[in-house]
């Protein structure tokens, strides 16, 4: 563009100049946006997950992101006993600049989890994901630089969007893939390490017919959990990702306090802290009961943006429900949790 829309400065800077995808502070509670290899990787028959994030709410609702997903395993009686084949569907809505830019994504993923030992404690996974993306820009809500007058944005812009007077949109197909190793020594602990790459096919993304190419996002993540007391378990995790020269590193841990004695249907209270290096502290609290885990986090911004954000980075809530198998004699699987 010859002139930059004043209200879209934050949107363009964050999404296009640095080419960053929408992200969650609770990355560990958004499995299908983190790594396609997470598809079907849980101890149960199916999993439903949902996430909502409102980032920098004091800056005109700069970014709001929501996802919903479901995944499950298939062909249980046709593959080796400790192998799992997962299928998942995920939808995501991301709105930027007070809903001027709206992104909608629909993804289908699959992953095969191959047991490496006779007990199924060590598993190697490969996963793939295909995504249909729709991005829509509502130019009727945008205030352009050449519209600025003494009494506000009351002038007429000379920006040319062809015959469109309200919405312009682009659509594309995206390909993602990932690997994951998960291990356990006894079924009551777990450790894992994964890598994933998004936008492998480098789709074109431009509202003006240019050749802007969406840069791949490379991610490495890992963590684990282990009992540290009779009723206490330590969960730790980290993520490092890079996209078009922009990087993000988050690391932290939470303690789980078991509130009942039922190992097959635990009630846990979680409290912990993550830190996004150079940006924000992320306190986290959560509760888990009847297969449902609800988590809440709040970014406390400590970067140079805290003047504009008043140190308010964003609210985030996550929900994960896992349907447990009905067999009371089943072997408990050690799967990534945070």
């Amino acid at each position: 563009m010859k002139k930059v829309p004043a209200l879209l400065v934050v949107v363009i800077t964050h999404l296009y100049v640095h080419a960053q995808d929408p992200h969650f502070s609770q990355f560990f509670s958004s499995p299908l946006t983190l790594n396609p290899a997470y598809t079907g990787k849980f101890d149960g028959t199916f999993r439903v997950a949902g996430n909502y994030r409102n980032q920098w709410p004091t800056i005109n609702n700069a970014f709001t992101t929501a996802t919903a997903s479901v995944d499950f395993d298939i062909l249980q009686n046709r593959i080796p006993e400790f192998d799992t084949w997962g299928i998942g569907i995920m939808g995501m809505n991301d709105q930027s600049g007070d809903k001027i830019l709206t992104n909608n994504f629909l993804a289908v993923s699959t992953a095969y989890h191959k047991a490496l030992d006779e007990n199924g404690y060590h598993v190697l996974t490969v996963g793939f994901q295909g995504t249909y993306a729709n991005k829509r820009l509502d130019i009727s809500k945008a205030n352009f630089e050449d519209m600025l007058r003494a009494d506000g944005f009351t002038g007429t812009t000379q920006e040319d969007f062809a015959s469109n007077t309200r919405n312009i949109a682009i659509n594309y197909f995206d390909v993602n893939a990932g690997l994951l190793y998960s291990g356990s020594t006894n079924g009551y602990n777990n450790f894992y390490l994964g890598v994933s790459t998004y936008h492998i096919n480098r789709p074109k993304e431009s509202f003006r017919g240019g050749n802007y190419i969406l840069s791949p996002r490379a991610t490495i993540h890992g963590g684990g959990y282990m009992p540290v007391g009779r009723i206490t378990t330590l969960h730790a995790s980290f993520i490092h990702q890079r996209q078009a020269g922009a990087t993000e590193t988050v690391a932290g841990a939470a303690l789980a306090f078991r509130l009942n004695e039922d190992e097959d249907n635990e009630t846990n209270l979680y409290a912990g802290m993550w830190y996004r290096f150079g940006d924000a502290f992320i306190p986290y609290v959560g509760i888990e009961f009847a297969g449902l885990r609800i988590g809440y986090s709040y970014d406390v911004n400590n970067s140079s943006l805290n003047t504009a954000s008043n140190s308010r980075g964003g609210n985030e809530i996550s929900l994960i429900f896992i349907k447990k198998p009905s067999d009371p004699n089943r072997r408990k699987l050690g799967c990534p949790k945070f």
Side-chain angles (χ1 to χ4, degrees), residues 260-309:
N260 67 352
E261 298 296 331
D262 187 353
E263 293 185 356
D264 292 323
N265 191 15
E266 293 183 349
T267 297
N268 291 307
L269 180 65
Y270 296 91
M273 176 86 73
W274 274 256
Y275 180 65
R276 181 180 299 109
F277 287 82
D279 183 44
F281 293 93
I282 309 166
Y284 168 86
V285 294
I287 188 168
E288 181 179 36
F289 59 94
L292 174 67
R293 187 171 88 237
I294 303 172
Y296 173 77
S297 63
Y298 185 82
D299 291 14
V300 181
N301 186 262
N302 70 329
S303 71
S304 58
L305 287 171
N306 60 9
T307 301
S309 67

Side-chain angles (χ1 to χ4, degrees), residues 78-231:
R78 298 187 180 183
I79 57 179
E81 180 182 4
F82 294 118
D83 289 7
T84 306
W85 188 357
I87 300 291
I89 301 173
M90 188 270 295
M92 178 165 62
N93 173 265
D94 180 67
Q95 298 180 345
S96 307
D98 204 17
K99 301 182 180 181
I100 291 178
L101 178 63
T102 300
N103 306 317
N104 292 300
F105 305 91
L106 180 63
V108 177
S109 59
T110 184
Y112 193 87
H113 311 274
K114 178 63 180 177
L116 303 179
D117 64 311
E118 60 182 9
N119 295 316
Y121 285 151
H122 299 271
V123 178
L124 184 63
T125 300
V126 58
F128 298 94
Q129 186 179 73
T131 303
Y132 173 78
N134 169 266
K135 300 197 171 191
R136 185 174 299 273
L137 180 66
D138 188 348
I139 59 177
S140 69
K141 295 181 180 179
N143 293 322
F144 292 84
E145 191 178 49
D146 59 349
M147 296 169 58
L148 184 61
R149 302 292 185 269
D151 58 345
F153 289 92
T154 57
T156 301
T157 182
Q158 298 301 309
E159 290 289 339
D160 181 17
F161 287 98
S163 60
N164 294 291
T165 59
R166 183 174 176 84
N167 292 311
I168 55 176
I170 56 174
N171 305 285
Y172 59 84
F173 182 74
D174 207 358
V175 178
N176 316 309
L179 294 171
L180 178 70
Y181 165 76
S182 175
S184 178
T185 60
N186 55 18
Y188 292 93
N189 59 20
N190 178 256
F191 42 90
Y192 67 92
L193 182 67
V195 294
S196 63
T197 302
Y198 283 65
H199 321 307
I200 293 175
N201 58 323
R202 299 173 63 88
K204 289 185 177 181
E205 185 182 56
S206 174
F207 289 112
R208 298 290 297 274
N211 291 317
Y212 177 82
I213 296 176
L214 186 59
S215 298
R217 167 167 59 94
T219 300
I220 181 171
H221 61 98
Y225 62 83
M226 61 180 297
V228 293
R230 190 179 69 84
I231 64 169

Side-chain angles (χ1 to χ4, degrees), residues 23 34 217-220 239-243 246-249:
H23 68 280
L34 175 61
R217 167 167 59 94
T219 300
I220 181 171
I239 181 175
H240 176 78
Q241 49 189 351
R242 175 181 293 271
Q243 187 175 18
T247 62
E248 177 187 55
T249 302

Side-chain angles (χ1 to χ4, degrees), residues 2-19:
K2 295 176 290 184
K3 301 177 181 178
V4 178
L7 193 55
L8 284 177
V9 169
V10 174
V11 177
I12 292 174
T13 300
H14 188 70
L15 291 179
Y16 292 92
V17 175
H18 297 295

